[in-house]
Amino acid sequence: MPAQQPPHPGAHDHEPEQHEDSRRILPWKVFHEVRALRTEVESLRAEREDRQGRLDKLYEVVHSLRADRTTELESAHNETARGYVALRDQIVGRCADVAAAIPDRYGRLETHVRLAAALFRTVLAEHPAAEEDWHGAAARVLGGDARLGTVTDLHHQTAELRANIAELGGVHRWNFELHLGRTPDTHLYDLWPWAEESEPLTLCVAPAYQVVGRTPHVRALVHTAIGG
């Protein structure tokens, strides 16, 4: 038998060493990749937090602008509401002057409240009234030759009030709604000077000044049945 030849030197001498080197290199490569990924994740997290912070600041600005606008509108509506109360008092006073010519007390009081209610219904209706509409509403209550007198100034004040409200925007309405037959809740209504709180509601004389969805800036002026 031919003698066996010894393995050729160098054929497999380095294989164990190469495997050992691979085993040493692989963990270091994985470690570097993990470290690189961790760095990238930290960078992304920092970028996300930065963007979230900027977004939160923008939300704060928007909220502040909305709050400022709400405060501004609230202040404007409060001012306009005061103008309405002043105008309301003037119209009620004018009606009292007209009714003063009626000799009997019951007729005088009834005419006063009915005339005021007719005027408010006319001049604060959905569509603006002309000056002659004031006199038409008064004639339907007073009849005969009774006169309302000049209303030019009141008419101009009413037109200016309506224009100011329109400029504010939002959904405003003159609220004439009334719970007829119920005794008045004085938290919801202002009572007519001679109205009795213990009697049922009969008439909305002047409407509430109200922005829809909000409590009225000015409560409705109401009348009740005359007690016996």
Side-chain angles (χ1 to χ4, degrees):
M1 293 181 60
Q4 288 185 335
Q5 296 293 327
H8 189 276
H12 301 291
D13 288 353
H14 298 294
E15 286 184 4
E17 185 179 346
Q18 288 174 355
H19 286 306
E20 185 177 347
D21 289 343
S22 297
R23 286 194 298 270
R24 282 201 304 267
I25 291 172
L26 184 59
W28 279 102
K29 183 177 181 182
V30 171
F31 171 78
H32 283 298
E33 288 181 356
V34 169
R35 187 168 64 176
L37 285 173
R38 183 179 294 133
T39 301
E40 184 178 353
V41 168
E42 291 297 331
S43 175
L44 290 172
R45 182 179 292 117
E47 183 179 354
R48 185 190 66 182
E49 290 176 355
D50 177 66
R51 291 183 178 181
Q52 184 63 51
R54 287 155 57 192
L55 182 61
D56 290 342
K57 288 181 180 179
L58 287 175
Y59 279 138
E60 289 178 6
V61 171
V62 170
H63 179 75
S64 176
L65 289 173
R66 286 178 176 173
D68 289 345
R69 178 59 177 162
T70 299
T71 301
E72 179 185 344
L73 281 175
E74 183 68 18
S75 176
H77 275 296
N78 285 335
E79 182 178 350
T80 308
R82 287 191 291 271
Y84 169 52
V85 171
L87 175 64
R88 187 181 75 176
D89 291 345
Q90 289 183 64
I91 293 175
V92 170
R94 171 61 62 83
C95 294
D97 293 340
V98 173
I102 298 175
D104 80 277
R105 183 175 182 276
Y106 179 81
R108 186 164 57 250
L109 296 180
E110 183 183 17
T111 298
H112 185 189
V113 69
R114 288 179 57 222
L115 178 58
L119 290 180
F120 284 114
R121 284 278 182 180
T122 299
V123 303
L124 296 180
E126 181 179 355
H127 300 290
E131 188 170 342
E132 56 266 24
D133 294 329
W134 290 69
H135 298 288
R140 288 191 291 273
V141 174
L142 301 172
D145 297 326
R147 292 290 181 268
L148 184 59
T150 179
V151 292
T152 300
D153 187 50
L154 292 176
H155 177 67
H156 287 164
Q157 288 183 56
T158 304
E160 183 179 3
L161 176 68
R162 295 181 67 126
N164 290 341
I165 293 171
E167 287 179 3
L168 295 180
V171 183
H172 164 271
R173 67 169 176 160
W174 299 110
N175 190 350
F176 286 90
E177 293 178 6
L178 195 68
H179 297 301
L180 288 171
R182 298 185 189 178
T183 54
D185 182 342
T186 53
H187 292 94
L188 300 178
Y189 302 113
D190 290 334
L191 285 179
W192 183 256
W194 300 283
E196 297 186 22
E197 188 176 334
S198 59
E199 296 296 326
L201 291 164
T202 59
L203 181 65
C204 179
V205 182
Y209 178 99
Q210 185 173 16
V211 177
V212 174
R214 306 283 297 279
T215 56
H217 285 76
V218 179
R219 295 175 295 192
L221 179 63
V222 299
H223 194 29
T224 61
I226 299 176

